[in-house]
Amino acid sequence: MTLLATAMFAGALIVAGVGLLAGLHTAMVQSLDGTARERLKDVSSIIKEGRLGSLITSNHGDIDVTLVLAPDGEVIASSYAGAHTGGDRGLPFPLPAELGAGRLMTLTDLRIGDTGDFRVAAEQTRVRGRPATIVVAMSLRQAERTLSLLQTILLAGIPVLTALAGWMLWLTAGRTLRPVETLRRQATEITATDLHRRLDVPDSHDEVHALAVTLNEMLTRLDVASAAQRRFVGDAAHELRSPLAAIHAQLEALANYPDPQRDAQVASALLEDTERLHDLVEGLLDLARAEGPAPQRLYTVVDLDEVVFAEARRQRALTERVIDTRSVSAGRVRGDAHALRRVVRNLLDNARRHAKRHIRIALNRRQGTVELVISDDGAGIPPADRERVFERFTRLDEARSREVGGSGLGLAIVSGIVMAHGGTVRAEADDAPGQGGLGGARLLVRLPEERES
């Protein structure tokens, strides 16, 4: 990581250095071009005023060379002492034919002074009624020296700066990553059996501090989930132990003490315990599916009112209690049809076990949600237990629940399925019978409504 950052820094320095050299070269050339144009204007003004002599004054020595040439190449006037009249041989350098008015060119190795490269500009004019050309040459020697010095400095400085930056990055990365390495080492030492351990949080309030806090919060959630899983396994084993022990005892009685008059009763009891065991296993499987991620591809549009009516008919065949569905109206949701049917069935099973004579079902649409309410005229749920009833293996009346075959998983399954569908479920007290309620428990489920497109 440090090597990569150092290489990137070196690359950035090289790009910046090349850009600096190119920019400085362009700026210097533009400055010389501006001076050359100003020089052309000055000489043109001298010619127009009739003050042109054979020698043109120059303030820059060999840096600024000005010539006034006749069409045949004769030097009419010059700021360069080495130039003289006499045709082409009077020129200190060959004049390119493509050099026109207003155009600047770079000519190399000109024989002016100590020779060198020059920026050359030319302009057509008339001297004493005859055509002439003004030529201005600006030396690039000073600019080339400046650029050469800067290039030398960059060539020597970039490796030094790169080494210094690499050293600084190594120190900074080491100081920054040392707490990260401590967190990594401590995290590798934490196993599934000691999730109660926590990582050391550094004193610095930076990203590493935030990372340590986040990891500790994650460990807390894992610890809570692990403890809940252990409790679930223990509760499931405890629930399975009773029917298995009963089945085992009755099978021993059949094997060791056969009695034709009693065998039919034992077989009936075995069948009852087996059915209870089957219901418990099915409940555990449904709970596992409810608490797992639901595949969205299985979600369809479900007419919840049809599910309610179908489950109400099923319950009427199982009980003599009155099941009132007059308050059920249309309601559509999106979800797993089998799971939503399980929600309605578990709620009705719960109401049937606790109701005395009446069960009421209501289904309405309200503010983008579908509300399912199932009430009964039983003993109700105490306020302190209205959240606990949705936990696994919760029985408010152990003896009565076991007698009627409750496993303590029905409402836990309801809660898991509803939450997986983005809804909520809660237990409330129904209104007193004199106020229109049944006086028992009231379970309210809210699910997002599926609107018609």
Side-chain angles (χ1 to χ4, degrees):
M1 186 68 181
T2 303
L3 291 176
L4 178 60
T6 304
M8 293 176 63
F9 179 76
L13 283 179
I14 293 174
V15 172
V18 172
L20 176 63
L21 289 173
L24 185 59
H25 178 268
T26 301
M28 288 182 171
V29 169
Q30 290 176 348
S31 176
L32 291 176
D33 290 350
T35 303
R37 291 189 180 96
E38 291 295 326
R39 188 64 171 158
L40 285 175
K41 291 180 182 179
D42 293 342
V43 175
S44 179
S45 298
I46 292 173
I47 292 174
K48 289 178 181 179
E49 294 171 1
R51 297 186 290 110
L52 181 66
S54 60
L55 183 63
I56 302 174
T57 305
S58 174
N59 296 326
H60 304 92
D62 291 344
I63 296 177
D64 176 0
V65 177
T66 306
L67 300 172
V68 180
L69 304 176
D72 59 359
E74 177 186 359
V75 179
I76 300 173
S78 174
S79 65
Y80 175 57
H84 55 83
T85 61
D88 290 340
R89 63 188 181 86
L91 290 171
F93 51 85
L95 189 65
E98 64 271 18
L99 188 65
R103 182 177 180 184
L104 290 102
M105 298 179 61
T106 298
L107 303 181
T108 60
D109 298 327
L110 300 187
R111 298 186 303 277
I112 301 176
D114 295 333
T115 72
D117 300 339
F118 288 78
R119 288 288 289 177
V120 180
E123 182 180 296
Q124 301 296 323
T125 187
R126 298 184 72 84
V127 178
R128 302 181 189 94
R130 297 170 55 194
T133 302
I134 305 173
V135 180
V136 175
M138 305 296 297
S139 176
L140 292 169
R141 181 182 297 276
Q142 187 62 40
E144 291 172 346
R145 286 177 179 174
T146 302
L147 292 173
S148 178
L149 177 61
L150 179 59
Q151 182 177 354
T152 301
I153 293 174
L154 290 175
L155 289 175
I158 287 178
V160 175
L161 289 175
T162 300
L164 181 61
W167 180 68
M168 293 291 294
L169 285 172
W170 181 77
L171 286 181
T172 305
R175 185 176 305 158
T176 303
L177 295 179
R178 194 173 297 115
V180 177
E181 172 61 22
T182 301
L183 294 177
R184 186 201 65 79
R185 188 181 64 254
Q186 292 177 348
T188 57
E189 296 173 354
I190 297 177
T191 63
T193 59
D194 54 358
L195 290 175
H196 60 279
R197 292 179 54 186
R198 296 296 178 265
L199 306 177
D200 294 338
V201 179
D203 296 332
S204 59
H205 294 281
D206 54 8
E207 289 79 3
V208 180
H209 175 92
L211 175 62
V213 172
T214 302
L215 289 175
N216 280 338
E217 292 174 350
M218 182 186 67
L219 286 173
T220 300
R221 292 193 297 270
L222 290 175
D223 192 16
V224 171
S226 178
Q229 186 179 31
R230 289 193 300 269
R231 286 195 304 270
F232 176 71
V233 172
D235 292 340
H238 177 74
E239 293 294 328
L240 291 171
R241 181 184 300 169
S242 296
L244 286 175
I247 293 173
H248 183 268
Q250 293 174 86
L251 287 175
E252 281 187 338
L254 281 175
N256 297 326
Y257 307 101
D259 185 349
Q261 296 181 354
R262 191 192 56 189
D263 288 351
Q265 296 177 352
V266 174
S268 177
L270 281 172
L271 180 60
E272 182 180 347
D273 286 336
T274 303
E275 289 176 352
R276 180 185 169 196
L277 185 60
H278 174 269
D279 292 340
L280 182 57
V281 172
E282 286 295 323
L284 291 173
L285 291 175
D286 285 337
L287 185 60
R289 283 192 291 264
E291 295 183 347
Q296 295 290 332
R297 60 184 176 81
L298 297 180
Y299 279 14
T300 58
V301 177
V302 180
D303 290 315
L304 201 57
D305 52 312
E306 295 183 2
V307 175
V308 169
F309 286 129
E311 290 300 319
R313 288 193 297 270
R314 176 181 175 275
Q315 293 291 335
R316 289 191 181 104
L318 300 176
T319 181
E320 295 180 355
R321 296 171 179 83
V322 177
I323 300 178
D324 183 0
T325 58
R326 290 176 298 176
S327 299
V328 175
S329 59
R332 307 182 75 188
V333 298
R334 176 172 290 275
D336 184 342
H338 173 76
L340 293 174
R341 188 178 302 110
R342 186 67 172 177
V343 167
V344 178
R345 178 172 299 180
N346 285 7
L347 290 174
L348 288 176
D349 284 342
N350 180 78
R352 176 169 54 84
R353 284 195 298 269
H354 295 90
K356 297 176 182 176
R357 293 185 58 190
H358 291 88
I359 298 173
R360 179 183 297 161
I361 309 174
L363 183 69
N364 300 288
R365 291 178 295 174
R366 191 187 306 275
Q367 298 178 348
T369 63
V370 174
E371 290 187 352
L372 172 65
V373 181
I374 297 181
S375 308
D376 62 67
D377 61 351
I381 302 174
D385 297 322
R386 288 174 187 168
E387 292 185 6
R388 193 169 68 88
V389 292
F390 296 104
E391 297 177 0
R392 294 169 293 202
F393 302 110
T394 297
R395 295 189 183 91
L396 303 184
D397 186 345
E398 290 288 331
R400 184 170 180 271
S401 295
R402 290 183 186 276
E403 181 182 353
V404 296
S407 65
L409 294 176
L411 294 184
I413 294 172
V414 169
S415 176
I417 294 175
V418 170
M419 291 180 62
H421 284 73
T424 60
V425 58
R426 72 169 185 262
E428 301 175 342
D430 205 12
D431 296 331
Q435 300 175 357
L438 297 180
R442 182 175 185 267
L443 296 176
L444 170 62
V445 174
R446 286 194 177 97
L447 292 169
E449 180 184 8
E450 176 66 15
R451 298 185 180 275
E452 296 183 0
S453 57

